[in-house]
Structure formats: structure tokens, C-alpha cells
Amino acid sequence: MSKCDKDAIIEKAIELGRLLANSDILNDLREAEIAFLNDEEAQFLLEDIKKLKKNGDKNEASDLRQKLLKLDSYKRLLEAQETSKKLIEEIHGILNYYINGSLPKCDVNSCANCSRHCIK
């Protein structure tokens, strides 16, 4: 690989990083994390869950986890995490395709709307 190729690749990686850092998806994730960390009820539940798990009381910890799952701040955080995870997986799949010639999960059932040269 020539220095010119490497520099162009690094430049594109920096550009992608900046786009990701400023994207609505990652901004939503940051905001959801802040809201969750500032939700006192959620933080108390988390602490109680940790204590119960440490003491071996998994049933009661499970009950508290169900309460946690009902909190808007936690639901929002989970949704934002899932959305950002999907974006990163899609980016990884695109890179993988152009590097290795295949997408992970690339098959007739998952590529219906895909235009990445899959053989169907």
C-alpha cells in the first residue's frame, strides 16, 4: 500500500468518525444516556439490583429489573443503544463486503432491499 492510499483511507476514516460523532443517532444516544444517569429512580433501582445480585437474590433482582424496564429513561436508552448498534453493524457490514466480498447475514431473507451486489 502506498503512503497515498494509506493517507486517503485514514482521511476517510476521520471523515466517517466526524459524521458519526455529529449524527442524530449518536446525539440521541448521548442524550438518552444523560437522561438515564439523571433519573434518580433508575439509578436507585440499578444500585439495588447490583446489591441483590451480589447477595445472590436473583429473583428479587429480576423483579426490580422489570421495574427498570418500565422506566421511560431506560426504554429510551435501550432504543438509542439498539439504533446506534444497528448503524455500526451496517457500517461494519459494508466494510466487510468491500474487504472480503461478503456481508455477515447476507442471504435471500435479509437482503431484500439491499443493493450491495448480493447474489439472490
Side-chain angles (χ1 to χ4, degrees):
M1 172 186 319
S2 72
K3 174 131 174 69
C4 183
D5 288 344
K6 181 181 177 189
D7 290 346
I9 292 167
I10 297 301
E11 184 178 316
K12 292 296 181 184
I14 291 169
E15 182 181 351
L16 176 59
R18 285 185 182 136
L19 285 169
L20 285 169
N22 295 314
S23 71
D24 289 343
I25 290 173
L26 290 184
N27 284 330
D28 288 347
L29 176 59
R30 285 186 207 100
E31 289 173 8
E33 287 172 339
I34 290 167
F36 178 71
L37 291 172
N38 289 320
D39 182 335
E40 288 183 19
E41 183 179 1
Q43 297 310 307
F44 285 129
L45 283 171
L46 269 181
E47 283 302 313
D48 288 345
I49 290 167
K50 288 177 188 177
K51 288 175 190 174
L52 290 168
K53 283 184 177 181
K54 190 175 185 179
N55 294 332
D57 193 347
K58 294 185 182 195
N59 288 337
E60 195 171 337
S62 179
D63 291 343
L64 290 181
R65 179 145 169 71
Q66 292 305 313
K67 286 183 183 180
L68 185 64
L69 287 168
K70 292 178 183 176
L71 295 179
D72 288 338
S73 67
Y74 192 58
K75 287 190 268 189
R76 181 179 171 207
L77 177 61
L78 292 176
E79 289 171 9
Q81 286 174 334
E82 185 63 25
T83 300
S84 62
K85 179 183 172 189
K86 285 180 181 178
L87 175 61
I88 298 301
E89 286 175 349
E90 186 172 354
I91 291 167
H92 180 264
I94 292 166
L95 291 173
N96 189 49
Y97 174 77
Y98 285 98
I99 292 168
N100 299 315
S102 65
L103 290 169
K105 305 183 188 172
C106 188
D107 63 31
V108 175
N109 297 318
S110 67
C111 289
N113 296 316
C114 175
S115 60
R116 295 191 193 113
H117 320 292
C118 295
I119 301 172
K120 296 180 177 145

